[in-house]
C-alpha cells in the first residue's frame, strides 16, 4: 500500500450523496489524482493518503483511497489556500489573505477558539461571523468523526452511513455502545461491531455486548423465518456467540423483556421469547382474522347458480365442484383461503369472482406481495393489481415506514383478493389487516405447499391450520393443464411420486450428469446456445437458473460468475464496477437483496417521467442500464419500466441474479427454469423446494444433475419447522367467544 502526503490542489468531482471524490494532490514528487470516499477533504488542505494505484481507461493512473487523514496546515501559504478554498462561506481569497496577514500561523486557532476576533477584519460583521463559525464547526465535526471511525478500521463508505444516521452524536453513541452499529447500519453485523468494541477495550461481559449478542441471535432466528424462539435455544445460541456464562444471558434476556424489546411468554409448557414487534404483529393478525371470520356481512342479492351458469356459457367452461364452492363461499365469508397447485384453476375462479362482484356494482381490489406477482395478476385478470405496499399507499418518511392506509384511514372496497399469499410474512400481514374494515371480504389465494415467506412467520399455513377460516383446497388438475408436464410433475412431486421425464414434444426434461463441473458446463451451454437457438428465446430475460444453495460448484455465487462471463462478457463500451468479490457490468441481470423503502424510482416513457414512487424490495429483478464512474451512479431497470439510481455505496443491496436461490424466486414466474440437481445440505434438498422451483416455470423446466439426488429431494418431505404461534393465538381468541 502506497502512502502520499500533499496539498489538495483541486477537487475535480464530489458526489454530494456519498462523498465519492476525485481530487488532485500536489505532493513533493509531483501531482497525483486520488479517488475514493473522502467527505472531509477540501482544496488547500494537507492530507495523508494510503491506497493502491489503479488504471482508469480514460483518466489514466489514479490512487484509490483506502485510508485518509488530515494534516493541519502549518505554513502561511497552506493556511491561506485552505481558507480561500470556498469551504467556508464569506471567506474568499481576499478575506483569506487579510486573515492570514492579521493573525499569521494562529489564524485557524483563532477561528476555532476565539472567532469574535474575526470582526477585526474588514467586511466581517455579526451575520457573516455566525455563518463562518457554523461552517467551520460542521467541517471540523465531520472531520473528527471520520478520523475517529478510521482508527477502528471503519471504511469511509460505512463512515458516511454512520454519520448520516447519528450526526454530531456519532462519537458519543459509538463510544458508549458500539453494538448499536449492528442494529442501525446495514452491512455492519454484530461481529464487526464486536471487533470495534474489543478494540475500544469494552469488556466481554459488558451489558451492551450481551444485549447486542442476544438481539443479533434473535434477529438471526427471525431471518430464518421464526417469529419466536424457545428460551433454551436463544440462551444456547447467544452463549455460543458471546462465549459467556448462560446465567448472564438469561438475566439479560429478562432485562430486555422489562425494557419492552423482547417479550417472554409460556406456550404449551415451554418458555418462548419474541422480538416484541413480531409478538404484537401476531396478536393483531390473530385478532383481526377472528374478527373478519365472524363479522355479519351485508347480503348480496344474487342467484349464484344462474351467475355461475352465465359465466360457464360465456367462457365455454364447466366449473368443477371445488371451483363452484370457492365462488359461492366468496360471497358468504368475511375471509376465505383458496389454495391449490398449478393447473387447478385458481385464476379462472378469481376471474369469475371478480365478474360476479362487479356485475353487482361492488368494488374489487387486487394485490400481491411482489411487483412480478402483481404484474402477472394484472395480465391474467385484465384488471390492475398492485403490490401490497402500493395498495396501502406506503411512504418512507424520516426513516420510518408509514402506510397511508391503516385503522384510521382504511381501504374502501367490497372485496380484496390477495394472490401469492404464501409469501406474506407476519409484519406485512399485520399492516394489510390494519387497513381492512369488518364487512370487507378478503380472499387469500396461494399454494400452501410452496416454501413459506422469506420474512418471519408462516402466515398462510397458520391461518389454514387454525381451522377458523373457510378454506377451499383445489386438488383437481384440469384437462388443459394436463397437457403440461410441468403441471403434472409438480403434483406428482408434491405427492412424493417420481416425475415423467424427457417425453417427446413436452416441457419437462432431465439431463443426467454426475460431475459438478460438467453440470455447470451443460447449464452454460443451455443458456448460451441450445435453448435460445431451439426455442428462439432471450437467454437473459427468459431463462432463470434456480438452485438450492449459495456456495459450492452449483451455488449461486459460482454460477453467476460463469453465467456473467458467458452471457454478458467484458467488452469495450461496457462499464464495470467491482464491489467486494462481485463485478457489476452494464447489461447484467441483478436482484435487490434487502427491502429499501426509501429508494426512489421513476417510469420514463419517450424521454418523459410519467410516474414516480419509492421502494425497491427484496427479490426484485432488474437489469443494469448504465454505470457512471464520474457521478458514482448505477442505473437499474426493474419490472421493465422502473428506473432506479444507486450510488456506489448502495451496491451492497444488489446481487448478480443470472442464478438465484429458489427461496428468492418466490412470487416470480419465468418462461424457462433450469435447476442443477446435486448434493447439498439436507435442509435444502427437500421436496417442497423442488416443487417451488418447478412451479416458477411457465413454459419449460430443465433439470441437470444426478438422479439419486432428484430421488432424495422427492423423498425428503421434511419441512424445517418454523417457530410461529399465529394458529395458536387465533384458536385462543376463538375460545373467548
Amino acid at each position: 500500500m502506497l502512502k502520499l502526503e500533499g496539498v489538495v490542489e483541486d477537487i475535480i468531482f464530489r458526489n454530494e450523496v456519498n462523498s465519492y471524490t476525485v481530487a488532485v494532490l500536489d505532493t513533493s514528487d509531483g501531482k497525483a489524482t486520488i479517488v475514493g470516499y473522502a467527505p472531509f477533504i477540501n482544496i488547500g488542505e494537507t492530507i495523508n493518503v494510503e491506497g493502491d494505484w489503479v488504471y482508469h481507461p480514460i483518466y489514466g493512473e489514479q490512487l484509490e483511497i483506502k485510508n485518509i487523514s488530515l494534516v493541519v496546515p502549518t505554513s502561511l501559504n497552506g493556511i491561506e489556500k485552505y481558507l480561500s478554498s470556498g469551504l467556508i462561506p464569506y471567506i474568499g481569497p481576499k478575506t483569506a489573505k487579510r486573515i492570514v496577514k492579521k493573525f499569521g500561523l494562529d489564524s485557524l486557532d483563532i477561528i476555532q477558539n476565539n472567532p469574535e476576533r474575526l470582526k477585526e477584519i474588514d467586511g466581517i460583521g455579526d451575520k457573516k461571523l455566525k455563518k463562518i463559525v457554523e461552517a467551520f464547526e460542521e467541517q471540523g465535526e465531520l472531520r473528527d468523526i471520520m478520523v475517529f471511525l478510521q482508527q477502528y478500521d471503519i471504511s469511509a463508505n460505512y463512515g458516511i452511513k454512520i454519520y448520516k444516521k447519528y450526526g454530531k452524536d456519532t462519537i458519543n453513541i459509538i463510544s458508549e455502545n458500539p453494538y448499536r452499529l449492528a442494529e442501525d447500519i446495514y452491512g455492519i453485523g454484530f461481529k464487526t461491531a464486536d471487533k470495534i468494541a474489543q478494540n475500544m477495550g469494552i469488556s466481554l461481559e459488558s451489558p451492551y455486548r450481551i444485549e447486542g449478542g442476544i438481539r443479533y441471535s434473535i434477529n438471526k432466528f427471525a431471518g430464518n423465518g421464526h417469529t419466536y424462539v424457545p428460551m433454551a435455544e436463544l440462551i444456547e445460541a447467544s452463549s455460543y456467540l458471546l462465549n459467556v456464562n448462560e446465567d448472564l444471558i438469561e438475566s439479560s434476556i429478562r432485562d430486555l423483556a422489562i425494557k419492552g424489546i423482547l417479550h417472554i411468554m409460556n406456550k404449551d409448557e415451554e418458555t418462548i421469547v419474541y422480538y416484541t414487534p413480531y409478538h404484537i404483529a401476531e396478536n393483531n393478525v390473530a385478532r383481526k382474522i377472528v374478527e373478519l371470520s365472524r363479522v355479519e356481512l351485508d347480503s348480496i342479492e344474487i342467484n349464484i347458480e344462474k351467475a355461475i351458469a352465465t359465466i360457464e356459457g360465456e367462457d365455454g367452461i364447466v366449473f368443477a365442484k371445488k371451483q363452484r364452492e370457492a365462488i359461492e363461499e366468496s360471497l358468504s365469508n368475511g375471509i376465505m383461503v383458496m389454495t391449490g397447485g398449478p393447473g387447478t384453476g385458481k385464476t379462472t375462479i378469481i376471474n369469475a369472482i371478480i365478474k360476479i362482484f362487479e356485475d353487482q356494482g361492488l368494488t374489487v381490489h387486487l394485490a400481491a406481495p411482489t411487483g412480478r406477482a402483481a404484474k402477472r395478476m394484472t395480465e391474467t385478470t385484465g384488471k390492475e393489481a398492485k403490490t401490497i405496499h402500493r395498495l396501502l399507499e406506503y411512504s418512507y418518511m424520516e426513516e420510518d415506514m408509514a402506510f397511508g392506509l391503516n385503522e384510521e384511514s382504511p381501504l374502501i372496497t367490497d372485496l380484496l383478493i390477495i394472490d401469492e399469499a404464501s409469501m406474506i410474512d407476519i409484519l406485512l400481514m399485520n399492516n394489510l389487516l390494519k387497513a381492512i374494515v369488518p364487512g370487507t371480504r378478503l380472499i387469500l389465494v396461494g399454494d400452501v405447499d410452496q416454501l413459506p415467506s422469506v420474512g418471519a412467520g408462516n402466515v398462510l399455513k397458520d391461518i389454514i391450520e387454525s381451522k377458523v377460516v373457510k378454506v377451499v383446497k383445489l386438488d383437481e388438475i384440469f384437462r388443459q393443464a394436463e397437457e403440461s408436464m410441468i403441471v403434472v410433475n409438480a403434483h406428482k412431486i408434491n405427492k412424493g411420486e417420481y416425475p415423467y421425464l424427457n417425453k417427446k414434444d413436452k416441457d419437462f426434461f432431465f439431463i443426467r450428469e454426475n460431475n459438478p463441473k460438467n453440470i455447470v458446463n451443460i447449464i452454460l451451454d443451455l443458456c448460451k446456445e441450445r435453448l435460445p437457438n431451439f426455442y428462439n428465446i432471450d437467454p437473459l430475460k427468459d431463462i432463470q437458473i434456480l438452485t438450492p444453495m449459495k456456495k459450492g460448484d452449483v451455488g449461486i455465487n459460482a454460477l453467476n460468475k460463469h453465467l456473467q462471463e458467458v452471457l454478458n462478457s467484458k467488452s469495450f463500451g461496457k462499464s464495470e464496477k467491482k464491489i467486494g468479490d462481485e463485478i457489476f457490468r452494464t447489461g447484467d441481470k441483478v436482484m435487490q437483496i434487502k427491502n429499501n423503502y426509501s429508494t426512489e424510482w421513476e417510469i420514463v416513457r419517450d424521454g418523459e417521467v410519467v410516474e414516480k414512487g419509492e421502494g425497491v424490495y427484496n427479490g426484485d429483478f432488474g437489469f443494469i442500464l448504465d454505470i457512471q464512474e464520474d457521478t458514482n451512479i448505477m442505473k437499474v431497470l426493474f419490472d421493465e419500466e422502473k428506473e432506479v439510481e444507486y450510488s456506489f455505496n448502495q451496491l451492497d443491496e444488489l446481487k448478480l441474479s443470472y442464478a438465484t436461490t429458489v427461496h428468492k424466486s418466490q412470487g416470480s414466474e419465468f418462461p424457462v427454469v433450469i435447476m442443477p440437481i446435486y448434493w447439498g445440505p439436507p435442509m435444502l434438498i427437500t421436496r417442497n423446494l423442488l416443487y417451488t422451483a418447478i412451479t416458477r416455470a411457465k413454459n419449460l423446466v430443465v433439470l441437470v444433475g444426478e438422479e439419486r439426488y432428484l430421488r432424495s429431494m422427492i423423498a425428503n418431505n421434511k419441512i424445517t419447522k418454523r417457530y410461529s404461534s399465529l394458529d395458536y393465538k387465533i384458536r385462543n381468541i376463538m375460545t373467548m367467544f
Side-chain angles (χ1 to χ4, degrees), residues 181 415 445:
L181 293 171
L415 171 66
V445 183

Side-chain angles (χ1 to χ4, degrees), residues 92-161:
K94 289 180 180 178
T95 305
K97 192 176 284 292
R98 291 191 197 111
I99 292 172
V100 173
K101 187 176 179 180
K102 177 75 174 175
F103 301 120
L105 297 175
D106 296 328
S107 297
L108 296 180
D109 184 66
I110 285 183
I111 296 173
Q112 187 170 356
N113 300 311
N114 195 10
E116 283 290 321
R117 289 199 61 191
L118 288 177
K119 288 195 288 186
E120 297 173 23
I121 305 297
D122 288 342
I124 298 180
D126 288 335
K127 190 176 178 180
K128 286 186 179 180
L129 178 65
K130 186 181 178 186
K131 295 285 186 183
I132 290 169
V133 171
E134 285 176 354
F136 195 81
E137 284 178 351
E138 188 177 322
Q139 285 294 318
E141 182 183 279
L142 178 56
R143 184 184 299 123
D144 291 345
I145 286 168
M146 297 304 290
V147 170
F148 170 81
L149 294 174
Q150 283 185 359
Q151 69 181 313
Y152 300 113
D153 293 326
I154 298 175
S155 69
N157 193 4
Y158 279 122
I160 295 159
K161 290 183 179 181

Side-chain angles (χ1 to χ4, degrees), residues 632-657:
N632 304 295
I633 293 292
M634 187 164 87
K635 287 187 178 181
V636 180
L637 185 69
F638 289 99
D639 296 331
E640 299 179 1
E641 61 177 5
K642 293 179 181 176
E643 292 187 15
V644 177
E645 289 190 350
Y646 290 82
S647 61
F648 283 176
N649 70 332
Q650 289 180 286
L651 297 187
D652 56 354
E653 298 181 11
L654 293 171
K655 190 164 185 64
L656 292 177
S657 63

